[in-house]
Amino acid sequence: MKAHRKSVIVFFCFFMVGFSWAKAQAIEGTQLKVKQADVEDSLSLFNGNFPFKNVNLIPFYYAKKAFREIERYEKQKNWEGLYPVLSDYVKNFGIENFYKDTDLLWRLAKTAEILGKKEEAKALYRLVLKHHRDSFSLQWLQKHYDSLNRDQADLYVPLKYYYELVEYRQEIDTLRPPKGILLNMGDSINSSSADYGPSLSLKDETLLFTSKRQRARRGLEVESVEGIYLSKKERGKWRAAKPFENINSQFNEGSPCLSKDGKTLYFSRCWAPDGIGNCDIYVSHLQSDGIWSSPENLGSSVNSSSWDSHPSLSHTEDTLYFASDRLGGFGLSDIYFTYKSSDGNWVKAQNAGPVINTRGSENSPFYHPVHHVLYFSSDYQTLNFGQFDIYKSNRRQGHWENPKNIGPLINGKGSEFYFTIDSESKDIYYARSETESLEDMSLYSFPLPMEAQPLAVTRLSGSLTDSLTHKPYQGIVSIIDLDHGIEVAPKFLRADGSFEFDLINNNNYLLIIQGDNFFRIEEMFYLNGEMEMGRYAKPLSTNIKFESLEFDHGKAEIKTEMRSDLNKIVNFLLDNPEFKLVISGHTDSAGDDDFNLTLSQKRADAIKEYVTYFNPVAEFRVNAIGYGSSKPIVEEKTAVDRKLNRRVEFHIYRPSIEEMEEDEKIEQEEEW
């Protein structure tokens, strides 16, 4: 979109319809007959505690008497007296208060923290971080908030490292990378120009999007023109996109949103003679003759003298969310919403509030077609300056929850926008650009990861600690939805050994925890409500002996009952490719020494063969040595003593730098 405030108009001058930044927090509309009181209740955005009902009523709130009372309680350090007075004052904030009186938010957060209201304090600190304009103070505030939140932070494993682990194990493992991430939609959809703004309708068989592939001469210049394009799915494949006839014009059109029945189209048009601002939202209806009606401007109740775009309907289609950079918002652009009154007209647009909108830019809202979940793009929710990520917010008990980043399987290098999901929550469609140039945007589509699933709201929490010392372990946690083949982005265990995932309820899952100080843990479970999984593991000593590894007398064949423990060794080596293994075979003193030495070597070799031949573990990482009866544990006086001496030991170690360099040469020679 070309229309923006002066501070960003130069950077975004080429994106008339598709890209002018908009903040997004959407409030679900009710039925056609919506009362103003209902809308005010729906703006109870602060976890049900702080309604901020003045957000759309007054620009700024000030009460001299109450302000003096706040100062008096603070001087007295009377936190119990201060809290209700300061809380009531903050509840009356208008939009301007969030950037002019951010210190009052901070003071209320600190008071709540002192009084032991930790969750409330964290929510208030989040608001401070979203709206504060002092960069120096922000650094301190971020550190303080992180310290309060360190036991709840999501520590995602870098995908490049994770895929290396998965690739290494792929021949034997149930662990698989998420299906087809970052799949470009190909030449039938994308062009050499920017393509973005996808929208689905008509049973997910129609894809509409915005493209700048068309060129037109305007005066002496040849410019890109934004237009709406349409593709139909046939036999599971998207056909070549075509221009949307009767809608595209000499102006710029984009950000299409089609009703469920495919008969009403909302979209943006820029620089039109009947425009109220530089970009407005329009509507067109499919007529009985199959021709789309002449587009109508939604009027001044919805559009402003600034930029308005990115329309998205609620699943009841009586509420319209959109992005706007109009004056009077929280930041560079905000998410707004309007709803239909009893007479069928759209009421005056309202700001979606301070929890979703920030001092930065939020844009491209998308309301899930079935569930009460709002998705949108932002460059400031987690202070990710200059890079846009996609977030989601669930509505619970009439309130929008704090937006959550939908994870690294979607939000990668660069910026992501225009998130759209099919009605069954199977596939996603969105635009992304890996460079700073928004001209490089293309459309991507692939199966919807768990973090972005609308029903992924059931909390699985757990921890892993040392069964002997009770100290926390460090490692990587992975979850697989066995019913749908959906893998969750892996996370590191936190410093206290804990982990958390939001999952879809009533599904079967596989939990996998791997690290370099314990044997891998694999556990299947059925999620039926919130679940806590506190687990313990024995520390992995450098020398290991398994009771199951007892060979038949005079033989060296691997028995079935040995495989479970041997697989623990294999899994560890696959999870930790830098480690090496020494297998030591031992016999008792009965019989001939040469025979015992040969037998112990055969047994060690048999285990090495199991580890390296039947599994993808390089041979140079495993050394097998038979010692015969030369290294007894105890003096043999009884049958029990002899049994103790008949053993196989495993020594796992991390090689020296010199040894690692030598191993690397061996690998290169084998590849050559």
Side-chain angles (χ1 to χ4, degrees):
M1 298 292 181
K2 285 186 177 176
H4 269 291
R5 295 181 181 175
K6 285 186 177 180
S7 60
V8 292
I9 193 170
V10 174
F11 185 72
F12 299 115
C13 63
F14 298 107
F15 281 82
M16 304 175 187
V17 175
F19 269 83
S20 186
W21 306 126
K23 285 190 168 188
Q25 171 192 341
I27 303 304
E28 160 74 0
T30 55
Q31 302 302 318
L32 288 177
K33 296 181 179 179
V34 181
K35 298 178 181 179
Q36 178 62 27
D38 294 332
V39 176
E40 289 176 355
D41 287 341
S42 70
L43 279 171
S44 299
L45 296 169
F46 183 68
N47 295 334
N49 297 323
F50 285 71
F52 297 127
K53 293 182 179 180
N54 280 339
V55 161
N56 286 297
L57 298 178
I58 62 174
F60 185 77
Y61 173 77
Y62 176 70
K64 186 175 182 180
K65 182 179 179 181
F67 199 83
R68 287 181 174 176
E69 192 174 7
I70 290 169
E71 291 181 327
R72 178 170 60 86
Y73 280 122
E74 282 188 327
K75 287 180 181 179
Q76 297 172 354
K77 296 185 178 180
N78 182 350
W79 312 122
E80 289 82 1
L82 172 64
Y83 176 78
V85 178
L86 183 54
S87 176
D88 286 342
Y89 194 95
V90 168
K91 287 178 182 178
N92 285 292
F93 270 16
I95 288 178
E96 291 182 12
N97 291 97
F98 282 88
Y99 58 87
K100 291 181 178 179
D101 290 335
T102 324
D103 63 309
L104 291 178
L105 280 173
W106 180 86
R107 285 147 75 178
L108 180 58
K110 193 64 181 175
T111 304
E113 185 182 354
I114 291 170
L115 295 177
K117 303 175 184 289
K118 186 176 179 181
E119 292 306 313
E120 188 172 303
K122 289 194 292 187
L124 285 161
Y125 281 129
R126 282 197 296 266
L127 284 176
V128 175
L129 289 169
K130 291 178 182 181
H131 298 285
H132 205 288
R133 305 202 174 194
D134 184 336
S135 58
F136 177 78
S137 298
L138 273 177
Q139 294 177 10
W140 182 88
L141 285 167
Q142 184 69 54
K143 288 181 180 179
H144 184 65
Y145 174 75
D146 290 343
S147 69
L148 290 177
N149 203 50
R150 66 174 176 267
D151 292 338
Q152 294 179 305
D154 288 325
L155 306 176
Y156 287 110
V157 176
L159 290 185
K160 182 179 179 181
Y161 170 68
Y162 180 66
Y163 289 151
E164 288 176 358
L165 291 180
V166 172
E167 178 70 20
Y168 195 63
R169 301 182 51 92
Q170 64 180 348
E171 294 182 21
I172 66 160
D173 211 350
T174 53
L175 196 61
R176 292 287 184 267
K179 297 178 181 178
I181 69 162
L182 305 184
L183 290 181
N184 187 292
M185 292 193 71
D187 294 341
S188 63
I189 300 297
N190 290 308
S191 66
S192 58
S193 300
D195 300 284
Y196 45 94
S199 177
L200 289 171
S201 191
L202 293 177
K203 299 181 180 179
D204 304 323
E205 297 295 323
T206 301
L207 174 70
L208 287 81
F209 63 95
T210 311
S211 180
K212 298 185 69 176
R213 65 190 66 186
Q214 184 179 348
R215 309 281 289 178
R217 181 173 294 278
R218 290 178 174 170
L220 299 177
E221 300 292 331
V222 176
E223 299 180 357
S224 295
V225 178
E226 286 180 300
I228 299 173
Y229 285 75
L230 181 148
S231 175
K232 296 282 188 178
K233 182 181 281 188
E234 297 178 7
R235 296 179 182 177
K237 294 184 178 180
W238 293 107
R239 297 305 174 186
K242 298 179 180 179
F244 201 123
E245 301 295 340
N246 303 118
I247 296 297
N248 292 340
S249 68
Q250 72 271 32
F251 310 112
N252 287 277
E253 286 82 24
S255 299
C257 175
L258 200 60
S259 62
K260 292 179 182 177
D261 63 7
K263 295 181 178 180
T264 304
L265 175 71
Y266 296 91
F267 66 98
S268 295
R269 175 174 280 178
C270 297
W271 311 118
D274 62 341
I276 297 172
N278 46 19
C279 292
D280 287 354
I281 298 174
Y282 287 74
V283 64
S284 177
H285 302 280
L286 184 63
Q287 302 172 124
S288 58
D289 59 1
I291 304 298
W292 287 91
S293 66
S294 178
E296 298 177 19
N297 191 302
L298 287 189
S300 58
S301 292
V302 177
N303 293 309
S304 69
S305 58
S306 298
W307 169 87
D308 301 283
S309 188
H310 304 177
S312 178
L313 285 169
S314 66
H315 51 67
T316 53
E317 299 194 345
D318 59 358
T319 303
L320 186 72
Y321 306 95
F322 63 96
S324 178
D325 67 357
R326 64 188 64 189
L327 295 176
F330 288 96
L332 296 177
S333 59
D334 284 3
I335 300 296
Y336 288 78
F337 71 98
T338 179
Y339 61 91
K340 284 184 177 180
S341 61
S342 57
D343 61 7
N345 294 317
W346 296 107
V347 304
K348 183 176 177 59
Q350 302 188 46
N351 192 291
V355 170
I356 301 234
N357 292 319
T358 68
R359 63 161 292 191
S361 294
E362 281 73 40
N363 63 24
S364 54
F366 169 72
Y367 201 94
H368 193 278
V370 178
H371 306 289
H372 293 293
V373 182
L374 176 73
Y375 299 84
F376 63 94
S377 293
S378 174
D379 68 348
Y380 210 83
Q381 284 292 329
T382 50
L383 305 186
N384 47 318
F385 309 108
Q387 302 292 329
F388 281 82
D389 279 351
I390 297 171
Y391 295 79
K392 76 171 183 178
S393 178
N394 291 75
R395 191 180 181 194
R396 289 188 178 182
Q397 300 177 346
H399 310 297
W400 291 108
E401 297 183 326
N402 185 61
K404 295 189 66 174
N405 190 298
I406 60 175
L409 302 182
I410 293 174
N411 293 319
K413 177 183 177 183
S415 290
E416 292 77 26
F417 312 90
Y418 298 111
F419 186 85
T420 297
I421 303 174
D422 63 21
S423 59
E424 296 183 0
S425 301
K426 288 184 177 180
D427 296 311
I428 61 170
Y429 302 83
Y430 72 105
R432 65 189 305 268
S433 173
E434 292 193 359
T435 69
E436 294 183 1
S437 173
L438 299 178
E439 295 291 339
D440 294 333
M441 281 190 300
S442 294
L443 290 173
Y444 288 75
S445 177
F446 48 88
L448 186 66
M450 180 64 72
E451 288 79 4
Q453 289 281 343
L455 294 181
V457 295
T458 303
R459 180 63 52 87
L460 168 72
S461 56
S463 61
L464 181 65
T465 52
D466 189 316
S467 61
L468 300 180
T469 66
H470 299 287
K471 292 182 179 180
Y473 278 117
Q474 299 302 299
I476 296 173
V477 188
S478 301
I479 302 283
I480 300 173
D481 179 345
L482 297 174
D483 294 334
H484 302 95
I486 301 172
E487 180 158 349
V488 187
K491 298 178 183 179
F492 289 110
L493 290 168
R494 298 171 182 144
D496 63 352
S498 68
F499 60 87
E500 283 182 348
F501 292 91
D502 289 333
L503 306 175
I504 300 172
N505 201 27
N506 298 318
N507 281 349
N508 291 290
Y509 293 93
L510 175 65
L511 168 72
I512 300 173
I513 310 178
Q514 58 199 97
D516 59 7
N517 291 312
F518 56 91
F519 283 125
R520 145 187 290 240
I521 294 173
E522 293 193 15
E523 182 175 339
M524 293 177 61
F525 65 95
Y526 179 77
L527 186 66
N528 184 16
E530 294 196 353
M531 182 180 293
E532 169 74 28
M533 300 180 73
R535 296 295 180 264
Y536 297 90
K538 291 183 179 180
L540 181 70
S541 59
T542 57
N543 292 291
I544 306 159
K545 179 180 180 295
F546 292 113
E547 295 296 328
S548 70
L549 297 186
E550 288 191 13
F551 290 88
D552 289 337
H553 181 71
K555 295 183 178 180
E557 286 77 24
I558 301 294
K559 296 190 292 185
T560 302
E561 55 266 31
M562 298 180 181
R563 292 177 181 175
S564 176
D565 284 331
L566 290 179
N567 286 339
K568 292 179 182 178
I569 296 291
V570 171
N571 280 327
F572 183 86
L573 292 173
L574 294 176
D575 286 342
N576 301 277
E578 72 277 18
F579 279 76
K580 299 182 76 172
L581 169 68
V582 175
I583 304 167
S584 302
H586 303 269
T587 67
D588 59 29
S589 60
D592 180 74
D593 288 343
D594 291 337
F595 177 82
N596 287 339
L597 183 63
T598 301
L599 179 62
S600 65
Q601 185 64 52
K602 286 181 178 180
R603 289 174 173 175
D605 288 339
I607 293 175
K608 177 178 179 178
E609 182 182 32
Y610 181 89
V611 172
T612 61
Y613 182 80
F614 297 102
N615 298 283
V617 177
E619 280 196 51
F620 69 83
R621 295 179 60 200
V622 182
N623 190 18
I625 305 173
Y627 289 98
S629 59
S630 62
K631 292 188 175 184
I633 297 175
V634 296
E635 182 181 355
E636 295 178 6
K637 296 181 179 179
T638 65
V640 174
D641 296 337
R642 287 192 292 275
K643 182 178 179 181
L644 285 174
N645 286 335
R646 293 194 303 268
R647 68 196 188 278
V648 176
E649 292 180 342
F650 300 90
H651 175 60
I652 296 176
Y653 70 99
R654 194 189 300 268
S656 64
I657 295 177
E658 293 78 9
E659 190 173 351
M660 291 175 66
E661 290 175 348
E662 184 63 30
D663 291 341
E664 189 173 341
K665 290 180 181 178
I666 294 173
E667 279 190 289
Q668 291 174 350
E669 289 174 359
E670 289 180 349
E671 289 177 1
W672 177 255

